[in-house]
Amino acid sequence: YVTDSVCVPSGDSLRIGPGVEIILQGHYKFCVDSNAVLKAIGTAEDSIIFTAEDTALTDSTGGWGGIVLDYFHEYSVIKNCMFEFARGNAIENWYGKLELSNCSFRRCRSGLHWMNSLSDSTDTTLFIAHSCVFSDIENEGIWLYTGSLRAIIVNSNFFNCYDGMYAGGSVSIENCHFKNNKNYGLFLDHVNYIVTDCIFEENVNDGIYLGGLGGLVRNNEIKNNGGYGAYFTGCMCSYYTLSLIHISEPTRPY
């Protein structure tokens, strides 16, 4: 039971093991300072839960403050964890490297926020999300901006969020499912994105919104969305590669 904000100090590390339930009893944050490490590693049979004592989220009450991975924190690993009732971002990650796998985010204001505005001459991957579920999120399941670095999201589901995912910069999205989101299934901006083997269905607005200079969109299924299946805007469409894309509603290149 957490009765105040928690911080892992710079130079230190914290390991949370299987079966631990962290219940925050107020709008407290769980912070990881720069040069610190968080490893929250549960198992499929015995996950780790981050939740709030007051689960009635309103503008002024309920929820908890989320995990904040501060500037330049070390390589953190979060596996087999559940995040629920965060009143802001369940995880807020600034610049540091994060591996996220087999995690569930539900009934939060926002799921995961990852921000990087640094440049790097190498094709470095700083964020990986594998086999995660984002459901019933008031805002984006994932919001990320990668700068010149790369994020990889694979085998993950985005159901009943506002936007399933917003991504700016270099991102690879593979074998993901975007369904019943209240606005866009997937909103992509800037350059150098790859979307393969995904399903976009029954989103209230467009299934996939593609902005920026372009990328690769291959072998996706798009059906029964309320707006356009795929909407292209602000781009030079010659930069797009589209193949094996199955669309059952209008597609608008603009």
Side-chain angles (χ1 to χ4, degrees), residues 40-191:
I41 303 176
T43 65
E45 297 78 21
D46 212 1
S47 62
I48 297 167
I49 300 174
F50 292 84
T51 190
E53 183 175 60
D54 184 352
T55 60
L57 282 177
T58 69
D59 289 341
S60 59
T61 65
W64 62 291
I67 293 178
V68 179
L69 301 169
D70 212 340
Y71 294 87
F72 309 108
H73 71 91
E74 293 294 328
Y75 181 25
S76 292
V77 180
I78 299 175
K79 296 183 177 181
N80 290 293
C81 293
M82 175 182 286
F83 300 88
E84 57 183 12
F85 305 112
R87 64 179 296 102
N89 301 308
I91 298 178
E92 187 173 312
N93 184 25
W94 293 86
Y95 303 112
K97 188 171 184 179
L98 172 63
E99 179 184 349
L100 187 73
S101 64
N102 296 292
C103 290
S104 176
F105 296 75
R106 69 184 191 98
R107 300 183 68 183
C108 300
R109 289 276 171 81
S110 298
L112 184 139
H113 179 110
W114 190 88
M115 175 69 185
N116 173 71
S117 60
L118 304 177
S119 61
D120 196 307
S121 60
T122 63
D123 186 21
T124 304
T125 299
L126 281 190
F127 172 59
I128 300 173
H130 189 287
S131 301
C132 294
V133 177
F134 299 83
S135 63
D136 301 302
I137 306 294
E138 289 187 24
N139 295 299
E140 294 89 357
I142 291 180
W143 186 102
L144 63 89
Y145 178 78
T146 67
S148 66
L149 305 180
R150 178 163 290 276
I152 298 174
I153 296 95
V154 295
N155 300 333
S156 294
N157 297 326
F158 300 82
F159 299 153
N160 199 35
C161 305
Y162 181 71
D163 290 328
M165 183 193 308
Y166 168 87
S170 299
V171 59
S172 297
I173 302 166
E174 179 181 352
N175 196 33
C176 292
H177 194 175
F178 299 83
K179 183 176 181 180
N180 287 331
N181 296 292
K182 298 178 179 65
N183 193 29
Y184 298 104
L186 173 63
F187 189 111
L188 292 177
D189 203 0
H190 299 287
V191 297

Side-chain angles (χ1 to χ4, degrees), residues 197-198 217-222 241-247:
D197 301 303
C198 294
V217 182
R218 181 178 61 200
N219 201 34
N220 298 283
E221 183 175 1
I222 303 176
T241 300
L242 292 138
S243 64
L244 296 174
I245 185 168
H246 308 286
I247 303 175

Side-chain angles (χ1 to χ4, degrees), residues 203-221:
N203 299 288
V204 173
N205 204 333
D206 303 334
I208 178 171
Y209 179 102
L210 299 161
L213 288 179
L216 171 66
V217 182
R218 181 178 61 200
N219 201 34
N220 298 283
E221 183 175 1

